[in-house]
Amino acid sequence: MGQGLSIQKCDFMIPENNKNHHTEEISTGRLIVRRGQPFTITVSFSAPIHNYLQQMKKTFLIVQTGPHSSRADEIQTEFPISSLGDQKQWSAAVEEQDPSFWTLCLNTPANAPIGQYTLLLRASKSPQFLGNFTLLFNPWCRDDVVFLPNEAQRQEYILNQDGIIYQGAENAVLAQPWDFSQFEEDMVDICFILLALGEHLQREKDPAQRKNPVHVCRAVVAMLNCNEFRILTECEPGQHSNGTPPSKWLGSSPILQQWIASKFQPVRYGRCWVFAAVLCSVLRCLGIPTRVVTGFTWAHNTKSSLSVDEYYDEDGTLLTQDKSARVWTFHVWNECWMARTDLLPEYSGWQALDATCQEKSKDLSFCGPAPVHAIKEGDTHVDYDVCYFFAAINAKCHVWVHKADDTLKPAFGGTKYTGNNISTKSVGSERCEDITQNYKYPEGSLQEKKVLEKAYRNMKELETTSSSSTQFISIPTVLEEPVNISIHLQSNSSLQLGQDITLSIEVFNHSGREKTTHLVVGIQALHYNGVPIAQLWKEEFHFNLQSDSVNNLQVSVPYAWFGKELGENHLLRLTAVLSDEDSSYMYLAQEEISICGSPLTIEFPENMVQYEPGTAKISLQNPLMEPLEQCVIAVAGQGLIYRQRNYR
């Protein structure tokens, strides 16, 4: 190129391109596009092009991810400007030209590595800078492995910034609103920073790997909770005096902003639902369709065993002899949508991804992405970590009573099944959608039996071929239960704060002869992860059961007896332990209930004007017979309030 030729201006046509690429909510001031989809720019020259025709016969565009294109951890691609662009690879075509400007259509491959790129034009030895742009995954592009064919699902799992995370108990699901804020200011930059840190800590140096959503998911999830630069610190339930309790977070942006502002110091504190919510925000921002999933009755840290045990004392108090493997009332993880080109085609679709630390034999303690189809079919040999998900939702929990003489007795009737009521927010509404059928066949069905047998065979093969210390235990058989006595415990599964608990206990004597029995009914406060807080109440009953009869008990427990120590998640476990004094058999029934806080009501004026101040009224009714003190109302709202505000 001769002297005097220079680029006067390059217009990235940001409003039009960002709108076409569904990124206008991320930014209106910078170009953010999705791979596999063309975008248009105009290049204005400082002098008429015909003065330099000889020098411009060979004109190239260069895209690179950093200032040092020779470095191994950066990408550089050079391609010619032609009259026809190849839509399958990096290319550029002249759409319109004038004596002093070109309108160019740029194509990016549907498998291009995502990242933050610099664009340059070269018609001589010195390339000239045109500008910077960001490239994301594209679920609207059929050739992208994250392609999601349903538009309503793309709106929900990529563009929706408002979500719901389900907590509570299996029969009393509570909805927790969450602000994913994946398009808030600086979010896309934060996401690429944590992606780069995750790659560095996993010693992943090949930048081309960013074309693969499996690689991106694993690099991001490793940053949530599993290394020195992790975004969040996990705390023991109830122990968060020097940080924010996990239940007090309302959205992802304050967490990520705090992590960046503190120069990558872990934010205090998070639990499984916070990890999943932040991970959902990051992956949606990067363009991977993602949702938050809650499973009720989850067997955690079973190390792929299909059996887990719970221990109670004779009063029905849950004990913690096994501090690692226990049944959680609920657990929250993620699903992300992608084609698994590294696996068989049937494993494409939703992939389970869990950022909560596991006790695993490998260095990395997160799980996934594991094909949900593989989990359902018991294909436990499939990457990544299908066996851990399978065990968590298919294990059977046997209950034992630790007697005063230090012996263990099986508690008949207490066997629990895990993986019940797996739920997520439905598309386009706030309804809770049950997706259990995606993960497992109906309990007791022939298909379930076949899957369990196949999974056990796969696990045994892995045990014999692996040097891992993980032990795989056989399919648990239900303890043979005597048919002499059965016990049934019933209560309202969900109560409002301040309400009394009404218990109904039915004891059936099927033995054909009179029985002398001892019954202990109790209430225990519980953390969501199965850790007991305190025994709040118990009552004992002695009675004789006539032959082939039923004894009905109705017990009312005032709120004042249990309301002071509900714990962060407001979960209670009700137990009834029956001793047959003739045979020394023990029977147990249990039920979990959740205590709902009083709902806040928000009222807006009938008419509000954009960019004008407005006043909202927030009200709360106190359901208790005592005043509420030291109250704090946390308020957040996209486009309404800058960051989260706390009002005392």
Side-chain angles (χ1 to χ4, degrees):
M1 184 178 272
Q3 290 183 349
L5 176 67
S6 65
I7 295 169
Q8 187 178 58
K9 185 179 72 169
C10 180
D11 183 359
F12 273 12
M13 303 177 68
I14 293 168
E16 298 91 337
N17 284 322
N18 284 10
K19 182 177 181 181
N20 292 336
H21 287 251
H22 307 92
T23 61
E24 69 270 30
E25 287 195 64
I26 302 179
S27 178
T28 57
R30 55 194 287 195
L31 180 61
I32 301 176
V33 294
R34 300 187 185 275
R35 65 186 193 174
Q37 182 176 340
F39 62 95
T40 302
I41 66 172
T42 61
V43 181
S44 299
F45 299 96
S46 57
I49 297 173
H50 63 76
N51 293 344
Y52 308 96
L53 288 179
Q54 188 64 33
Q55 295 145 350
M56 297 192 69
K57 284 183 178 179
K58 293 184 178 180
T59 312
F60 297 86
L61 289 181
I62 301 169
V63 290
Q64 61 186 45
T65 56
H68 308 290
S69 57
S70 60
R71 283 177 43 172
D73 59 348
E74 293 179 358
I75 293 171
Q76 184 186 65
T77 302
E78 182 174 306
F79 49 95
I81 299 174
S82 64
S83 57
L84 293 173
D86 186 345
Q87 295 187 357
K88 300 294 184 182
Q89 59 186 356
W90 289 102
S91 66
V94 178
E95 277 196 337
E96 186 181 346
Q97 54 183 319
D98 184 85
S100 59
F101 80 87
W102 281 350
T103 298
L104 302 177
C105 178
L106 276 71
N107 290 298
T108 62
N111 65 345
I114 65 167
Q116 294 172 310
Y117 285 84
T118 298
L119 181 64
L120 305 103
L121 184 144
R122 183 177 70 80
S124 67
K125 294 182 180 179
S126 300
Q128 298 193 50
F129 174 78
L130 297 182
N132 298 312
F133 69 95
T134 300
L135 189 66
L136 305 177
F137 290 107
N138 192 354
W140 282 266
C141 175
R142 291 185 176 276
D143 295 327
D144 197 317
V145 290
V146 302
F147 171 65
L148 188 59
N150 185 290
E151 176 60 24
Q153 289 184 330
R154 292 193 291 253
Q155 293 289 325
E156 181 69 46
Y157 301 134
I158 290 290
L159 301 182
N160 193 359
Q161 298 190 76
D162 298 314
I164 293 176
I165 300 172
Y166 296 105
Q167 302 179 17
E170 177 184 343
N171 297 316
V173 179
L174 303 179
Q176 170 67 45
W178 191 270
D179 178 10
F180 291 118
S181 52
Q182 67 265 33
F183 302 142
E184 288 250 331
E185 185 181 4
D186 300 329
M187 277 290 284
V188 71
D189 294 322
I190 294 173
C191 291
F192 277 108
I193 288 171
L194 69 89
L195 173 58
L197 270 174
E199 291 170 328
H200 173 73
L201 292 166
Q202 291 189 66
R203 297 177 176 84
E204 292 281 359
K205 295 184 178 180
D206 183 4
Q209 284 296 316
R210 287 192 179 184
K211 67 183 180 182
N212 183 358
V214 172
H215 162 86
V216 170
C217 285
R218 288 180 67 79
V220 171
V221 73
M223 287 299 300
L224 260 297
N225 185 33
C226 302
N227 60 56
E228 58 184 304
F229 295 110
R230 62 190 180 275
I231 297 168
L232 283 153
T233 293
E234 193 168 4
C235 65
E236 289 300 317
Q239 299 179 12
H240 35 62
S241 57
N242 57 344
T244 301
S247 61
K248 302 305 180 187
W249 294 113
L250 299 179
S252 303
S253 181
I255 295 170
L256 291 167
Q257 296 283 357
Q258 182 177 330
W259 177 68
I260 285 290
S262 67
K263 295 182 170 53
F264 317 132
Q265 294 301 308
V267 177
R268 299 172 177 170
Y269 288 101
R271 300 295 289 179
C272 65
W273 65 91
V274 184
F275 303 145
V278 174
L279 181 59
C280 183
S281 299
V282 174
L283 295 182
R284 284 187 183 182
C285 182
L286 296 176
I288 300 174
T290 308
R291 61 188 183 184
V292 177
V293 175
T294 302
F296 295 90
T297 319
W298 167 276
H300 189 69
N301 273 341
T302 67
K303 299 181 182 177
S304 298
S305 169
L306 292 174
S307 182
V308 65
D309 298 308
E310 278 188 347
Y311 302 91
Y312 292 81
D313 67 13
E314 293 178 89
D315 291 337
T317 302
L318 179 64
L319 305 175
T320 55
Q321 276 139 302
D322 190 343
K323 296 185 183 301
S324 59
R326 60 168 63 96
V327 177
W328 291 14
T329 303
F330 69 87
H331 180 55
V332 184
W333 66 96
N334 296 92
E335 286 180 359
C336 44
W337 178 274
M338 67 185 71
R340 289 297 296 268
T341 56
D342 57 326
L343 300 174
L344 295 174
E346 58 261 33
Y347 297 131
S348 295
W350 288 115
Q351 313 289 314
L353 193 61
D354 189 359
T356 301
C357 279
Q358 310 281 324
E359 290 189 6
K360 294 169 62 176
S361 57
K362 298 178 182 178
D363 292 337
L364 300 177
S365 59
F366 57 86
C367 287
V372 173
H373 179 76
I375 299 170
K376 181 173 183 177
E377 296 299 329
D379 297 333
T380 52
H381 60 286
V382 173
D383 280 343
Y384 290 93
D385 308 305
V386 169
C387 56
Y388 288 90
F389 284 102
F390 184 86
I393 63 172
N394 286 283
K396 286 178 181 164
C397 175
H398 297 303
V399 177
W400 303 84
V401 176
H402 193 168
K403 295 178 68 67
D405 61 4
D406 216 27
T407 60
L408 289 176
K409 284 277 188 179
F412 297 114
T415 301
K416 290 195 295 190
Y417 297 88
T418 59
N420 305 320
N421 189 9
I422 300 172
S423 298
T424 190
K425 177 187 176 297
S426 62
V427 173
S429 80
E430 296 185 357
R431 183 177 58 85
C432 180
E433 180 183 353
D434 189 337
I435 58 170
T436 311
Q437 73 281 357
N438 294 354
Y439 280 84
K440 55 197 300 188
Y441 288 101
E443 206 79 53
S445 66
L446 180 61
Q447 297 106 313
E448 185 208 31
K449 181 180 178 183
K450 290 180 178 178
V451 165
L452 284 170
E453 290 172 349
K454 177 170 68 170
Y456 173 59
R457 289 195 304 271
N458 291 339
M459 288 177 172
K460 288 299 290 183
E461 289 176 10
L462 182 60
E463 181 185 6
T464 56
T465 59
S466 172
S467 60
S468 163
S469 61
T470 301
Q471 296 182 351
F472 298 106
I473 300 176
S474 63
I475 300 173
T477 55
V478 178
L479 294 172
E480 186 176 341
E481 300 188 11
V483 295
N484 295 336
I485 295 176
S486 60
I487 183 170
H488 182 64
L489 174 65
Q490 193 169 9
S491 175
N492 289 335
S493 55
S494 179
L495 294 175
Q496 292 297 318
L497 197 68
Q499 275 189 296
D500 299 341
I501 296 176
T502 301
L503 296 173
S504 173
I505 305 107
E506 291 182 321
V507 183
F508 300 84
N509 180 6
H510 312 284
S511 68
R513 58 192 180 90
E514 185 177 351
K515 289 283 186 179
T516 303
T517 60
H518 173 221
L519 175 68
V520 183
V521 183
I523 298 176
Q524 192 170 12
L526 204 66
H527 291 298
Y528 83 101
N529 63 351
V531 176
I533 301 173
Q535 182 81 3
L536 305 178
W537 168 86
K538 73 171 183 176
E539 190 167 341
E540 299 185 40
F541 303 88
H542 294 269
F543 51 85
N544 291 334
L545 271 174
Q546 299 301 315
S547 171
D548 299 315
S549 66
V550 180
N551 194 351
N552 292 289
L553 295 173
Q554 298 288 329
V555 182
S556 181
V557 185
Y559 176 82
W561 293 4
F562 63 85
K564 297 294 186 183
E565 294 186 74
L566 287 178
E568 186 178 359
N569 300 107
H570 288 193
L571 289 169
L572 299 177
R573 179 167 293 178
L574 317 179
T575 56
V577 179
L578 183 78
S579 303
D580 178 356
E581 297 185 357
D582 297 329
S583 65
S584 75
Y585 284 141
M586 306 197 77
Y587 303 83
L588 181 138
Q590 57 180 296
E591 188 78 23
E592 287 181 3
I593 63 175
S594 56
I595 309 298
C596 307
S598 296
L600 290 167
T601 59
I602 305 175
E603 298 177 54
F604 282 97
E606 289 186 13
N607 298 308
M608 293 191 70
V609 180
Q610 191 175 18
Y611 306 121
E612 292 291 333
T615 302
K617 179 182 178 183
I618 301 173
S619 56
L620 167 70
Q621 183 175 356
N622 181 8
L624 304 179
M625 303 301 293
E626 58 189 73
L628 297 176
E629 299 177 343
Q630 298 180 336
C631 298
V632 179
I633 294 180
V635 182
Q638 295 165 25
L640 298 174
I641 299 172
Y642 181 67
R643 306 280 171 86
Q644 179 177 314
R645 293 186 185 178
N646 295 330
Y647 297 91
R648 300 180 183 274

